[in-house]
Amino acid sequence: MTTPAATHAYLVAEVEALEPFAFVLVSPAADPLHSVEIGRLQDGSLEVRVPGRPPIVPELPVPVRSALRDRGFASSDPADRAQPWLRAVPDAGAGVELLERVLGEVFEEKPGAPLDVAHGSHRAQYEAQRKLAAVRERIERVLEERTGQRPEQDPDGDYTLRTGNVHVTVAPRAAPGGPVVVRVFAITNVGVGVTPDLGLFLARLNFGLMFGRFALDTDHSAIWFDETLLGEQFSDEELRFTIGVVASTAGAWAERLKQMFAGSTYQEVLEGRSRHERPPVKPGSGGYL
């Protein structure tokens, strides 16, 4: 664009033409991290978004977040760096004016700086979230029937329940354009001696299992047992069965694995009878919502 006025008029026209879930993403050519997005929601309204940042890039600095808050933006979880900062706008003109203010006042980009403009759609992400919400409702119903109370959730929003001495986690996941995945897993042991013999033993053990698998978190010296339900069409009985198998298999092997490869059972960690701590990551945690 040759002038700021021409750029402004072009962006207004692009935003006015947006369909539901579509967006226009604008960023300075010299610094693509300073991106601002204007998107149309399902109901036709518009909002300006400053995208969140995943761990692979620097997070939004505190002064930037404070400046966004001062300009009416809000995040569903300010402590979560991946969450976007949002502000509703009444029309395309107001949206572009706010976008320009953010670029100039918050990111301190010079007027007239070359901009990159990209178009996209959040429809696939919306559909994934809709599917995930439906699956969560089913999981909550099954767990409530099993335990007689509303299921507990950990800080990640995954469901946890105790079956005997085993703590089982039910973790629904979804990715845009992909199927829903329900991971059901339990930690069996922590602080094990990570040796070739342990890896070989778990590989042989998995070969003989009809259902589920053991996995080794080498970074945190922990053993997990898990199984996966793929898609939205699993039955309530399949979910109940999977939870039961994960709990019974993890419970049957935890003490034996401790005797063979040292460390502690996860139950000992929870009861404070071990110096080891719970691993800070979960199996299969990357790439899915």
Side-chain angles (χ1 to χ4, degrees):
M1 297 299 161
T2 56
T3 67
T7 300
H8 180 92
Y10 168 78
L11 291 176
V12 169
E14 293 297 290
V15 173
E16 288 177 340
L18 290 176
E19 297 181 351
F21 302 111
F23 64 86
V24 175
L25 182 70
V26 181
S27 59
D31 195 340
L33 284 180
H34 290 176
S35 59
V36 186
E37 179 183 306
I38 303 178
R40 192 174 298 280
L41 305 182
Q42 183 182 17
D43 61 4
S45 61
L46 294 169
E47 69 179 8
V48 178
R49 313 180 187 112
V50 176
R53 296 182 178 180
I56 59 174
V57 298
E59 66 179 326
L60 286 170
V62 172
V64 168
R65 284 177 275 167
S66 297
L68 291 173
R69 189 180 293 108
D70 292 343
R71 287 160 178 79
F73 286 82
S75 169
S76 60
D77 183 0
D80 185 351
R81 57 180 292 161
Q83 293 302 314
W85 289 77
L86 313 172
R87 177 180 163 182
V89 289
D91 53 48
V96 173
E97 288 176 4
L98 181 57
L99 177 148
E100 293 169 337
R101 286 184 59 200
V102 172
L103 290 178
E105 299 173 7
V106 177
F107 289 126
E108 300 180 346
E109 297 292 339
K110 295 180 180 180
L115 300 175
D116 289 330
V117 180
H119 295 76
S121 174
H122 290 301
R123 183 178 294 275
Q125 184 177 16
Y126 167 81
E127 291 296 331
Q129 291 173 337
R130 182 187 61 80
K131 293 178 182 179
L132 187 60
V135 168
R136 281 186 172 279
E137 185 176 339
R138 292 181 55 199
I139 291 172
E140 290 175 4
R141 184 183 69 250
V142 170
L143 297 185
E144 188 168 352
E145 291 173 354
R146 183 185 180 97
T147 63
Q149 60 186 7
R150 185 169 181 79
E152 295 182 8
Q153 290 180 266
D154 65 16
D156 296 324
D158 297 331
Y159 302 97
T160 61
L161 69 155
R162 179 169 177 172
T163 302
N165 288 330
V166 178
H167 290 254
V168 177
T169 298
V170 181
R173 302 282 187 265
V180 172
V181 172
V182 180
R183 301 290 301 268
V184 183
F185 50 81
I187 306 173
T188 62
N189 299 78
V190 179
V192 295
V194 179
T195 64
D197 286 344
L198 173 57
L200 181 60
F201 180 82
L202 293 180
R204 288 174 171 169
L205 183 57
N206 284 337
F207 185 76
L209 292 174
M210 184 179 297
F211 200 79
R213 63 164 188 165
F214 284 94
L216 176 61
D217 178 0
T218 57
D219 290 337
H220 303 99
S221 303
I223 300 174
W224 303 67
F225 185 77
D226 78 293
E227 182 56 278
T228 300
L229 295 172
L230 182 63
E232 307 163 70
Q233 305 307 317
F234 64 87
S235 68
D236 292 354
E237 183 55 37
E238 287 175 312
L239 178 58
R240 295 188 192 98
F241 175 78
T242 302
I243 292 171
V245 168
V246 169
S248 61
T249 308
W253 279 98
E255 188 62 36
R256 280 185 275 182
L257 289 169
K258 172 188 171 181
Q259 293 173 1
M260 296 173 67
F261 300 103
S264 306
T265 67
Y266 185 53
Q267 183 63 25
E268 291 172 335
V269 173
L270 293 179
E271 293 176 353
R273 295 186 286 120
S274 168
R275 62 180 176 82
H276 301 292
E277 297 180 354
R278 174 175 179 155
V281 296
K282 298 176 180 177
S285 58
Y288 267 57
L289 300 173

